[in-house]
Amino acid sequence: MNPAIVLALQLFGASELLRNGDGRNDAFAAVARFDNCTGFLVRPKASTPDSARAYLLTAGHCIDQSVTAVVRDRAVARTVIFHYFADTEARQVRIPAVRAAYSTMKGTDLAVVELAATIGELARQSIVPFRLAAAGAEAGEPVLSAGVPVTNIPDGEKFVRASRCTLGETAEVIEARWHWWSLHRTDCSDIWGGSSGSPLISRRSGEVVGMITTTNAGAAITEGDFRCSIGQPCEVVRGGFRYRAGTVYAVPVAGLPDCFRETGEFDVALTGCPLDPGRQLNVSNAAIAARPGAAWSAAISGTDFPRFRYKIVNEGEGDCRDPAGYSSPLPVEAGARITDRLPEREGRQHLCVIGVGSQPEQEPRFATLIHLRADATPPVIRPRFLMMEEPGRLHFQPVFVLPELGRYRYKVAGPDGEDCSDRESFREYLRVPIRVPRETVGRICLYGLDEAENPTPTVDLPMRGVNLFAGGVVNAASYGPVAPGSIVSIFGSNLSDEPVVLTDSAGAKSTLRVLYTDPLQINAVAPAGAAPGPAWIEHAGARVEFKIEPVSPGLFQGGGTLPDGTLLLAGTGFGTGPVELRVSGVRAEATVRRSEHAEGLDLLEARLPVRLRGWAPVQSAGNTIWLLLR
């Protein structure tokens, strides 16, 4: 046990910026900034001598983000900064990193980086290495994360921070093209960009039991293809996957001491080392998603093995590590490719490949795994775009929202009455904003496609005369549905100061109070007594149908905090409350009252059970905003 760590732990609650002017946090001097990541100095074994070369552990994606590569002995030219505390910048110690002894994102997310110093040389500068736990930690282990998050952290506070948390059960995890076995769930706070590679330190023993790798905390859209995409990891479960919102994942470090010689040198070939030695074939498939029934097109290449065996399992119904079910050996030759077809239903499949024909053969536990998702569901969000009137010209720019809106096709039709029905005449949007003479535009037609090329419905934007766009009556804060008494944004073309009239499902007509008008947008206030259900907006002879929901909350960007930590927020469509918010994953109940000075505006006050600082996502049922907490 390291008494200094255990003593310091008693000082922390939620994520806290560490200071060390008085030396009380010397135990965390070995937590380092490593470019845009965190790393930490380790003494692999108690017997490792001070004369041994120093090694830093960090996340594999901080070195190489290849899906299945295993990097060994790659030269690096980076700087590691120890003593990275907020109040001791003059005492920082900068050490060159000379090589990545090991790095991979295949099955785990871990890198071992050799430094241009010995353990003893760093110890003489008060940088005491962490000890690695020899055995795996159990769920429920109280831990502390210590890292250097930089995203969403105020300037002047981008130094080592610590957070109390608890180690959870392990899970098989998917994120975009990556796949990892046995990551621990955790509930650590303030895990943002820069936190990758942060050690998880047992609050009982002071030993490192895991390392932060990824999180889906703060995700704005958690439906459709957004689940399991980059920044939104999900878990493989029986029959498919499960998305656990607000979860932080960590790589276990059990067994890593067995990858170091008694002299302290890292060697992945040592007996007992649990890491993939990297002897494998190259397996790649261009697509990550395709329509049901489409064929795999997985290329097999490499020289480590003359032959390979493979199997394909439905997600949650098989395991690449199980030797059962692999094919007979097939030759690795030019153009070797796996072309099995996806099932005629939605779901993800895992392709497992092992090399054979030379000794030793590739163990199934180190099988190369890639996955392909069968997807027949159109995107869950409508095409998004920016449109602006410029002198004599129209500026139009589709907005990409990956992975659901990764491509767009469009058509700018002339004033001769051409419609949007013929998609064959659409062209690919090449990410160059469209600027056309205003008088030549009759309408703009647009649809988006997801990774499997499932299309959205076509958005038809007529630009001649006064038009109200279909789907263009929305909550002004969230761009979601409209609620009685909420502030509404109405989108169209050639809009004016003419009255805006709403007819609700009960047939009641109301002239809306208009807050703002330009040729493409009107902001107004829906009547508080409007009946939920189908409704219509009429303006200058144009008419569009939309739906009113009883409640449809949306937060406006902005807000602040009082000295006692109370959050002050503004929104619309919340109703009478109270409502539940999540602030950086922390639940908070908010009271709601209508503003006396701005019609349609809801004012929210929320008290957090813990004190948070920095940029934090604030989530309502309708949308997510980012707020700087001080």
Side-chain angles (χ1 to χ4, degrees):
M1 178 181 292
N2 185 329
I5 291 178
V6 175
L7 177 63
L9 291 176
Q10 297 170 1
L11 304 176
F12 305 140
S15 168
E16 182 174 327
L17 182 67
L18 297 192
R19 301 180 184 278
N20 198 40
D22 57 3
R24 62 176 173 169
N25 284 314
D26 273 348
F28 297 95
V31 176
R33 180 162 183 176
F34 181 59
D35 283 354
N36 292 321
C37 291
T38 297
F40 57 101
L41 180 69
V42 296
R43 185 186 294 272
K45 302 177 180 179
S47 59
T48 302
D50 282 355
S51 59
R53 181 68 73 175
Y55 287 95
L56 186 88
L57 290 192
T58 189
H61 68 261
C62 300
I63 297 293
D64 189 296
Q65 297 185 3
S66 302
V67 176
T68 61
V70 176
V71 173
R72 296 175 62 177
D73 297 323
R74 175 187 291 179
V76 296
R78 304 190 194 180
T79 300
V80 177
I81 310 175
F82 294 106
H83 281 291
Y84 205 71
F85 298 106
D87 60 341
T88 60
E89 290 189 60
R91 292 172 53 193
Q92 290 178 358
V93 176
R94 297 171 181 265
I95 302 294
V98 295
R99 74 179 178 111
Y102 185 90
S103 177
T104 192
M105 293 187 72
K106 176 190 173 188
T108 188
D109 186 10
L110 179 141
V112 181
V113 180
E114 183 180 326
L115 307 183
T118 66
I119 290 176
E121 288 168 344
L122 295 177
R124 286 191 287 275
Q125 299 179 78
S126 300
I127 305 168
V128 179
F130 288 99
R131 290 274 305 279
L132 298 176
E138 298 292 329
E141 179 76 14
V143 294
L144 177 104
S145 70
V148 189
V150 292
T151 305
N152 307 321
I153 300 296
D155 291 339
E157 296 190 9
K158 297 178 180 181
F159 297 93
V160 176
R161 306 181 73 88
S163 166
R164 283 179 179 267
C165 34
T166 303
L167 207 64
E169 300 285 352
T170 60
E172 181 182 349
V173 175
I174 294 280
E175 181 178 351
R177 291 181 181 269
W178 297 290
H179 168 275
W180 303 297
W181 303 107
S182 302
L183 298 191
H184 280 286
R185 304 184 195 108
T186 81
D187 56 357
C188 303
S189 301
D190 289 332
I191 303 302
W192 305 118
S195 297
S196 297
S198 300
L200 288 181
I201 307 158
S202 168
R203 287 190 269 158
R204 287 194 277 235
S205 69
E207 295 178 326
V208 174
V209 297
M211 180 179 65
I212 297 295
T213 175
T214 190
T215 181
N216 54 33
I221 308 174
T222 58
E223 300 176 353
D225 295 348
F226 290 97
R227 296 171 298 180
C228 309
S229 66
I230 193 163
Q232 301 217 45
C234 64
E235 300 178 9
V236 176
V237 297
R238 183 180 296 276
F241 73 90
R242 177 179 179 180
Y243 183 86
R244 291 179 180 267
T247 302
V248 176
Y249 293 97
V251 173
V253 299
L256 285 186
D258 292 330
C259 301
F260 292 84
R261 298 183 180 277
E262 289 301 320
T263 56
E265 181 184 4
F266 176 83
D267 186 352
V268 72
L270 289 175
T271 300
C273 177
L275 298 177
D276 189 327
R279 193 162 175 263
Q280 62 181 354
L281 295 168
N282 301 317
V283 184
S284 62
N285 196 81
I288 191 173
R291 303 298 296 276
W296 281 83
S297 183
I300 312 296
S301 63
T303 58
D304 285 356
F305 297 95
R307 292 184 293 280
F308 70 95
R309 300 169 62 205
Y310 81 96
K311 67 178 179 180
I312 296 176
V313 298
N314 294 327
E315 187 166 85
E317 298 177 7
D319 191 322
C320 293
R321 298 169 295 183
D322 182 352
Y326 277 90
S327 69
S328 300
L330 298 168
V332 179
E333 55 191 10
R337 194 171 293 273
I338 295 170
T339 58
D340 296 39
R341 291 198 169 273
L342 290 167
E344 294 291 343
R345 59 180 175 84
E346 291 191 311
R348 195 170 3 247
Q349 286 193 326
H350 295 188
L351 168 62
C352 320
V353 176
I354 54 175
V356 298
S358 64
Q359 296 299 323
E361 294 190 344
Q362 187 175 356
E363 298 179 59
R365 66 180 174 133
F366 297 136
T368 302
L369 184 159
I370 62 173
H371 54 82
L372 181 63
R373 177 168 48 86
D375 177 14
T377 303
V380 296
I381 57 176
R382 291 171 54 85
R384 299 184 178 185
F385 56 88
L386 302 174
M387 185 184 294
M388 293 176 284
E389 294 269 9
E390 299 174 347
R393 299 176 71 83
L394 184 70
H395 174 112
F396 182 78
Q397 182 176 345
V399 175
F400 294 91
V401 187
L402 299 176
E404 288 272 78
L405 298 175
R407 286 177 54 204
Y408 280 103
R409 304 195 77 241
Y410 76 99
K411 176 172 70 174
V412 179
D416 55 1
E418 185 180 3
D419 63 23
C420 296
S421 60
D422 179 17
R423 284 189 168 182
E424 293 298 320
S425 61
F426 285 43
R427 64 176 65 182
E428 194 79 12
Y429 177 66
L430 301 178
R431 300 177 183 258
V432 178
I434 301 162
R435 290 182 172 89
V436 290
R438 182 66 177 83
E439 69 275 5
T440 67
V441 182
R443 65 190 341 110
I444 295 176
C445 312
L446 178 75
Y447 68 92
L449 299 109
D450 64 16
E451 291 175 313
E453 300 195 351
N454 296 299
T456 67
T458 298
V459 172
D460 184 351
L461 307 172
M463 302 303 295
R464 288 291 178 186
V466 178
N467 297 279
L468 299 174
F469 296 156
V473 181
V474 294
N475 180 302
S478 68
Y479 282 23
V482 171
S486 64
I487 301 174
V488 179
S489 289
I490 303 164
F491 294 95
S493 60
N494 301 303
L495 307 180
S496 67
D497 293 330
E498 292 286 317
V500 179
V501 178
L502 183 150
T503 304
D504 67 17
S505 60
K509 289 183 177 290
S510 305
T511 299
L512 304 190
R513 180 179 174 226
V514 173
L515 307 176
Y516 169 84
T517 301
D518 70 28
L520 300 174
Q521 178 178 347
I522 294 173
N523 284 355
V525 181
W536 295 263
I537 288 283
E538 295 173 282
H539 170 70
R543 170 185 165 109
V544 67
E545 184 176 351
F546 68 105
K547 187 177 182 181
I548 297 177
E549 299 287 353
V551 175
S552 180
L555 291 171
F556 289 109
Q557 186 64 50
T561 54
L562 296 177
D564 65 357
T566 300
L567 299 187
L568 302 179
L569 304 167
T572 192
F574 278 88
T576 57
V579 298
E580 182 180 280
L581 304 175
R582 283 183 176 267
V583 184
S584 197
V586 177
R587 293 182 181 179
E589 186 174 277
T591 60
V592 182
R593 61 183 176 87
R594 284 292 171 90
S595 170
E596 299 176 0
H597 307 290
E599 189 176 354
L601 189 68
D602 296 328
L603 303 178
L604 290 78
E605 293 188 13
R607 290 293 302 272
L608 291 171
V610 295
R611 189 68 181 266
L612 301 174
R613 289 177 59 81
W615 285 100
V618 181
Q619 296 170 290
S620 71
N623 67 328
T624 298
I625 65 168
W626 287 84
L627 183 66
L628 180 59
L629 306 180
R630 299 185 183 277

